[in-house]
Coordinates of all heavy atoms in Angstrom, one line a residue:
S216 N 69.7 99.0 -2.8 CA 70.7 98.0 -2.7 C 71.0 97.7 -1.2 O 71.0 98.6 -0.4 CB 72.0 98.3 -3.4 OG 71.8 98.6 -4.8
F217 N 71.2 96.5 -0.9 CA 71.7 96.1 0.4 C 73.3 96.2 0.3 O 73.9 95.5 -0.5 CB 71.3 94.7 0.8 CG 69.8 94.6 1.1 CD1 68.9 94.3 0.2 CD2 69.4 94.9 2.4 CE1 67.6 94.2 0.5 CE2 68.0 94.9 2.7 CZ 67.1 94.5 1.7
F218 N 73.9 96.9 1.2 CA 75.4 97.1 1.2 C 75.9 97.9 0.0 O 76.4 98.9 0.2 CB 76.1 95.8 1.5 CG 75.5 95.1 2.8 CD1 74.8 94.0 2.7 CD2 75.8 95.7 4.0 CE1 74.4 93.4 3.9 CE2 75.3 95.1 5.2 CZ 74.6 93.9 5.1
F219 N 75.9 97.2 -1.2 CA 76.4 97.9 -2.4 C 75.7 97.4 -3.6 O 75.3 96.2 -3.6 CB 77.9 97.8 -2.5 CG 78.5 96.4 -2.6 CD1 78.5 95.7 -3.8 CD2 78.9 95.7 -1.5 CE1 79.0 94.4 -3.9 CE2 79.3 94.4 -1.5 CZ 79.4 93.7 -2.8
P220 N 75.6 98.2 -4.6 CA 74.9 97.7 -5.9 C 75.5 96.5 -6.4 O 76.7 96.3 -6.5 CB 75.0 98.9 -6.8 CG 75.3 100.1 -5.9 CD 76.1 99.5 -4.8
G221 N 74.6 95.5 -6.8 CA 75.0 94.3 -7.4 C 75.0 93.1 -6.4 O 75.0 92.0 -6.8
L222 N 75.1 93.4 -5.1 CA 75.1 92.3 -4.1 C 73.7 91.8 -4.0 O 73.4 90.6 -4.2 CB 75.7 92.8 -2.8 CG 75.7 91.8 -1.7 CD1 76.7 90.6 -2.1 CD2 76.1 92.4 -0.4
L223 N 72.8 92.6 -3.6 CA 71.4 92.3 -3.4 C 70.6 93.6 -3.7 O 70.6 94.5 -2.9 CB 71.1 91.8 -2.1 CG 69.6 91.4 -1.8 CD1 69.2 90.3 -2.8 CD2 69.4 90.9 -0.4
D224 N 70.0 93.7 -4.9 CA 69.3 94.8 -5.3 C 67.8 94.5 -5.3 O 67.4 93.4 -5.6 CB 69.7 95.3 -6.7 CG 71.2 95.6 -6.8 OD1 71.7 96.1 -5.8 OD2 71.7 95.5 -7.9
G225 N 67.0 95.5 -5.0 CA 65.5 95.3 -5.0 C 64.8 96.5 -5.6 O 65.2 97.6 -5.4
E226 N 63.9 96.1 -6.4 CA 63.0 97.1 -7.1 C 61.6 96.9 -6.6 O 61.0 95.9 -6.8 CB 63.1 97.0 -8.6 CG 62.4 98.1 -9.3 CD 62.6 98.0 -10.9 OE1 63.8 98.1 -11.3 OE2 61.6 97.9 -11.6
H227 N 61.1 97.9 -5.8 CA 59.9 97.8 -5.1 C 58.8 98.7 -5.8 O 59.1 99.9 -6.0 CB 60.1 98.3 -3.6 CG 58.9 97.9 -2.8 ND1 58.9 96.8 -1.9 CD2 57.7 98.5 -2.6 CE1 57.8 96.8 -1.3 NE2 57.0 97.8 -1.6
S228 N 57.7 98.2 -6.0 CA 56.6 98.9 -6.7 C 55.3 98.9 -6.0 O 54.9 97.8 -5.4 CB 56.4 98.4 -8.1 OG 57.5 98.5 -8.9
F229 N 54.6 100.0 -6.0 CA 53.1 100.1 -5.7 C 52.5 100.5 -7.0 O 52.8 101.5 -7.5 CB 52.9 101.2 -4.6 CG 53.5 101.0 -3.3 CD1 54.2 102.0 -2.7 CD2 53.4 99.8 -2.6 CE1 54.8 101.9 -1.4 CE2 54.0 99.6 -1.4 CZ 54.7 100.7 -0.8
I230 N 51.5 99.6 -7.4 CA 50.8 99.9 -8.7 C 49.3 99.9 -8.4 O 48.8 99.0 -7.8 CB 51.2 98.8 -9.7 CG1 52.7 98.8 -10.0 CG2 50.4 98.9 -11.0 CD1 53.2 97.6 -10.7
L231 N 48.7 100.9 -9.0 CA 47.2 101.1 -8.8 C 46.6 100.9 -10.2 O 47.0 101.7 -11.2 CB 46.9 102.4 -8.3 CG 47.2 102.7 -6.8 CD1 48.7 102.9 -6.6 CD2 46.4 104.0 -6.4
E232 N 45.7 100.0 -10.3 CA 45.0 99.8 -11.6 C 43.5 100.0 -11.3 O 42.9 99.3 -10.6 CB 45.2 98.3 -12.1 CG 46.6 98.0 -12.5 CD 46.7 96.6 -12.9 OE1 45.9 95.7 -12.7 OE2 47.8 96.3 -13.5
E233 N 43.0 101.2 -11.8 CA 41.7 101.6 -11.5 C 40.7 100.7 -12.3 O 40.8 100.5 -13.5 CB 41.5 103.1 -12.0 CG 40.3 103.7 -11.4 CD 40.3 105.2 -11.6 OE1 40.9 105.7 -12.5 OE2 39.6 105.9 -10.8
I234 N 39.8 100.1 -11.5 CA 38.7 99.2 -12.1 C 37.5 100.1 -12.4 O 36.9 99.9 -13.5 CB 38.4 98.1 -11.1 CG1 39.6 97.2 -10.8 CG2 37.2 97.3 -11.7 CD1 39.5 96.3 -9.7
S235 N 37.2 100.9 -11.5 CA 36.1 101.9 -11.6 C 36.4 103.1 -10.8 O 37.5 103.1 -10.1 CB 34.7 101.3 -11.2 OG 34.7 101.1 -9.8
G236 N 35.5 104.1 -10.7 CA 35.7 105.3 -9.9 C 36.0 105.0 -8.4 O 36.8 105.8 -7.8
H237 N 35.5 103.9 -7.9 CA 35.8 103.6 -6.5 C 36.2 102.2 -6.2 O 35.9 101.6 -5.2 CB 34.5 104.0 -5.7 CG 34.3 105.4 -5.5 ND1 33.9 106.3 -6.5 CD2 34.5 106.2 -4.4 CE1 33.8 107.5 -6.0 NE2 34.3 107.5 -4.8
R238 N 36.9 101.7 -7.2 CA 37.5 100.3 -7.0 C 38.9 100.3 -7.7 O 39.0 100.6 -8.9 CB 36.6 99.3 -7.7 CG 36.1 98.2 -6.9 CD 35.0 97.4 -7.5 NE 35.6 96.2 -8.1 CZ 35.1 95.7 -9.2 NH1 34.1 96.2 -9.8 NH2 35.7 94.6 -9.7
V239 N 39.9 99.8 -7.0 CA 41.2 99.8 -7.5 C 41.8 98.4 -7.2 O 41.7 97.8 -6.1 CB 42.1 100.9 -6.8 CG1 43.6 100.7 -7.1 CG2 41.6 102.3 -7.2
H240 N 42.5 97.9 -8.2 CA 43.3 96.7 -8.0 C 44.7 97.2 -7.7 O 45.4 97.9 -8.4 CB 43.3 95.9 -9.4 CG 44.1 94.7 -9.3 ND1 44.8 94.2 -10.4 CD2 44.3 93.7 -8.4 CE1 45.4 93.1 -10.1 NE2 45.1 92.8 -8.9
F241 N 45.1 96.9 -6.4 CA 46.4 97.4 -5.9 C 47.4 96.2 -6.0 O 47.2 95.1 -5.5 CB 46.3 97.8 -4.4 CG 47.6 98.3 -3.8 CD1 48.2 99.5 -4.2 CD2 48.2 97.5 -2.9 CE1 49.4 99.8 -3.6 CE2 49.4 97.9 -2.3 CZ 50.0 99.1 -2.7
I242 N 48.6 96.5 -6.6 CA 49.6 95.5 -6.6 C 50.9 96.0 -6.0 O 51.3 97.2 -6.2 CB 50.0 95.2 -8.2 CG1 48.7 94.7 -8.9 CG2 51.1 94.2 -8.3 CD1 48.8 94.8 -10.4
Q243 N 51.5 95.2 -5.1 CA 52.8 95.5 -4.5 C 53.7 94.4 -4.9 O 53.4 93.2 -4.8 CB 52.6 95.6 -3.0 CG 53.9 96.0 -2.3 CD 53.8 96.0 -0.8 OE1 54.7 96.4 -0.2 NE2 52.7 95.6 -0.2
K244 N 54.8 94.8 -5.5 CA 55.8 93.8 -5.9 C 57.2 94.2 -5.7 O 57.5 95.4 -5.6 CB 55.6 93.4 -7.4 CG 55.9 94.5 -8.4 CD 55.6 94.0 -9.8 CE 56.0 95.0 -10.8 NZ 55.8 94.6 -12.2
E245 N 58.1 93.2 -5.6 CA 59.5 93.4 -5.5 C 60.2 92.4 -6.4 O 59.9 91.2 -6.4 CB 59.9 93.2 -4.0 CG 61.4 93.4 -3.7 CD 61.7 94.8 -3.2 OE1 60.8 95.4 -2.6 OE2 62.9 95.2 -3.3
T246 N 61.2 92.9 -7.0 CA 62.1 92.1 -7.9 C 63.5 92.2 -7.3 O 64.0 93.3 -7.1 CB 62.1 92.6 -9.3 OG1 60.8 92.7 -9.8 CG2 62.9 91.7 -10.2
F247 N 64.0 91.0 -6.9 CA 65.4 91.0 -6.3 C 66.3 90.5 -7.4 O 66.1 89.6 -8.2 CB 65.4 90.0 -5.1 CG 64.7 90.4 -3.9 CD1 63.4 89.9 -3.7 CD2 65.1 91.4 -3.1 CE1 62.7 90.3 -2.5 CE2 64.5 91.8 -2.0 CZ 63.2 91.2 -1.7
N248 N 67.6 91.1 -7.4 CA 68.7 90.7 -8.3 C 70.0 90.8 -7.5 O 70.0 91.5 -6.5 CB 68.7 91.7 -9.5 CG 67.5 91.5 -10.4 OD1 67.3 90.4 -10.9 ND2 66.7 92.6 -10.6
G249 N 71.0 90.2 -8.0 CA 72.3 90.4 -7.5 C 73.0 89.0 -7.2 O 72.4 88.0 -7.2
I250 N 74.3 89.1 -6.9 CA 75.1 87.9 -6.8 C 74.8 87.2 -5.5 O 75.1 86.0 -5.4 CB 76.6 88.3 -6.9 CG1 77.1 89.2 -5.8 CG2 77.0 88.8 -8.3 CD1 78.5 89.5 -5.7
A251 N 74.2 87.8 -4.5 CA 73.9 87.1 -3.3 C 72.6 86.3 -3.3 O 72.4 85.6 -2.4 CB 73.8 88.2 -2.1
I252 N 71.9 86.4 -4.4 CA 70.6 85.7 -4.4 C 70.7 84.2 -4.1 O 70.0 83.7 -3.3 CB 69.8 86.0 -5.7 CG1 69.3 87.4 -5.7 CG2 68.6 85.0 -5.9 CD1 68.2 87.8 -4.8
P253 N 71.6 83.5 -4.8 CA 71.7 82.0 -4.5 C 72.1 81.7 -3.1 O 71.5 80.8 -2.5 CB 72.8 81.6 -5.5 CG 72.9 82.6 -6.5 CD 72.5 83.9 -5.9
I254 N 72.9 82.5 -2.5 CA 73.3 82.3 -1.1 C 72.2 82.6 -0.1 O 71.9 81.8 0.7 CB 74.6 83.2 -0.8 CG1 75.7 82.8 -1.6 CG2 74.9 83.0 0.7 CD1 76.8 83.9 -1.7
I255 N 71.5 83.7 -0.3 CA 70.5 84.1 0.6 C 69.3 83.1 0.4 O 68.7 82.7 1.4 CB 70.1 85.5 0.3 CG1 71.2 86.4 0.8 CG2 68.7 85.9 1.0 CD1 71.0 87.9 0.4
S256 N 68.9 82.7 -0.8 CA 67.8 81.8 -0.9 C 68.0 80.5 -0.3 O 67.1 79.8 0.2 CB 67.3 81.6 -2.4 OG 68.1 82.2 -3.3
A257 N 69.2 80.1 -0.2 CA 69.5 78.8 0.5 C 69.4 78.9 2.0 O 69.1 77.9 2.7 CB 70.9 78.3 0.1
S258 N 69.7 80.0 2.6 CA 69.7 80.2 4.1 C 68.6 81.0 4.7 O 68.4 81.0 5.8 CB 71.0 80.7 4.5 OG 71.2 82.1 4.0
W259 N 67.9 81.8 3.8 CA 66.9 82.7 4.4 C 65.8 82.8 3.4 O 65.9 82.9 2.2 CB 67.6 84.1 4.5 CG 66.7 85.1 5.0 CD1 65.9 85.2 6.1 CD2 66.5 86.4 4.4 NE1 65.2 86.4 6.2 CE2 65.6 87.2 5.1 CE3 67.0 87.0 3.2 CZ2 65.2 88.5 4.8 CZ3 66.6 88.3 2.8 CH2 65.7 89.0 3.6
S260 N 64.6 82.7 3.9 CA 63.4 82.7 3.0 C 62.9 84.2 2.8 O 62.1 84.7 3.5 CB 62.3 81.9 3.7 OG 61.1 82.0 2.9
I261 N 63.4 84.7 1.7 CA 63.0 86.1 1.3 C 61.5 86.0 1.0 O 60.7 86.8 1.4 CB 63.8 86.6 0.0 CG1 65.2 86.9 0.4 CG2 63.1 87.8 -0.6 CD1 66.1 87.3 -0.8
D262 N 61.1 85.0 0.2 CA 59.7 84.9 -0.3 C 58.7 84.9 0.9 O 57.8 85.6 0.8 CB 59.6 83.7 -1.2 CG 60.3 83.8 -2.5 OD1 60.8 84.9 -2.8 OD2 60.5 82.8 -3.2
K263 N 58.9 84.0 1.8 CA 58.0 83.8 2.9 C 57.8 85.1 3.7 O 56.7 85.6 3.9 CB 58.3 82.7 3.8 CG 57.3 82.3 4.8 CD 57.7 81.2 5.6 CE 56.7 80.9 6.7 NZ 57.1 79.8 7.6
G264 N 58.9 85.7 4.2 CA 58.8 86.9 5.0 C 58.3 88.1 4.3 O 57.5 88.9 4.8
T265 N 58.8 88.3 3.1 CA 58.4 89.4 2.2 C 56.9 89.3 1.9 O 56.3 90.3 2.0 CB 59.3 89.5 1.0 OG1 60.7 89.6 1.4 CG2 59.0 90.7 0.2
K266 N 56.5 88.2 1.5 CA 55.1 88.0 1.1 C 54.2 88.4 2.3 O 53.2 89.1 2.1 CB 54.8 86.6 0.5 CG 53.4 86.5 0.0 CD 53.2 85.2 -0.7 CE 51.8 85.2 -1.3 NZ 51.5 84.1 -2.0
R267 N 54.5 87.9 3.4 CA 53.7 88.2 4.6 C 53.7 89.7 4.9 O 52.6 90.2 5.2 CB 54.3 87.4 5.8 CG 53.5 87.6 7.1 CD 54.1 86.8 8.2 NE 53.5 87.2 9.5 CZ 53.9 86.7 10.7 NH1 54.9 85.8 10.7 NH2 53.4 87.1 11.8
S268 N 54.8 90.3 4.8 CA 54.9 91.8 5.0 C 54.1 92.5 4.0 O 53.4 93.5 4.4 CB 56.4 92.2 5.0 OG 57.1 91.6 6.0
F269 N 54.2 92.1 2.8 CA 53.4 92.8 1.7 C 51.9 92.6 2.0 O 51.1 93.6 1.8 CB 53.7 92.1 0.3 CG 55.0 92.6 -0.3 CD1 56.0 93.2 0.4 CD2 55.2 92.4 -1.7 CE1 57.2 93.6 -0.2 CE2 56.4 92.7 -2.3 CZ 57.4 93.4 -1.5
E270 N 51.5 91.5 2.3 CA 50.1 91.2 2.6 C 49.6 92.1 3.8 O 48.5 92.6 3.8 CB 49.8 89.7 2.8 CG 49.9 89.0 1.6 CD 49.9 87.4 1.7 OE1 50.1 87.0 2.9 OE2 49.7 86.8 0.7

Side-chain angles (χ1 to χ4, degrees):
S216 302
F217 289 91
F218 303 110
F219 59 86
L222 178 66
L223 180 61
D224 301 332
E226 189 172 298
H227 193 99
S228 298
F229 296 133
I230 299 166
L231 288 72
E232 295 176 345
E233 196 167 26
I234 299 168
S235 69
H237 284 77
R238 234 170 97 214
V239 171
H240 181 215
F241 177 74
I242 302 162
Q243 183 180 184
K244 66 180 184 176
E245 181 97 22
T246 305
F247 292 103
N248 293 298
I250 59 172
I252 291 291
I254 298 163
I255 290 172
S256 4
S258 63
W259 177 55
S260 175
I261 290 177
D262 292 346
K263 186 177 178 185
T265 302
K266 185 171 184 177
R267 179 176 169 189
S268 298
F269 281 18
E270 289 169 347

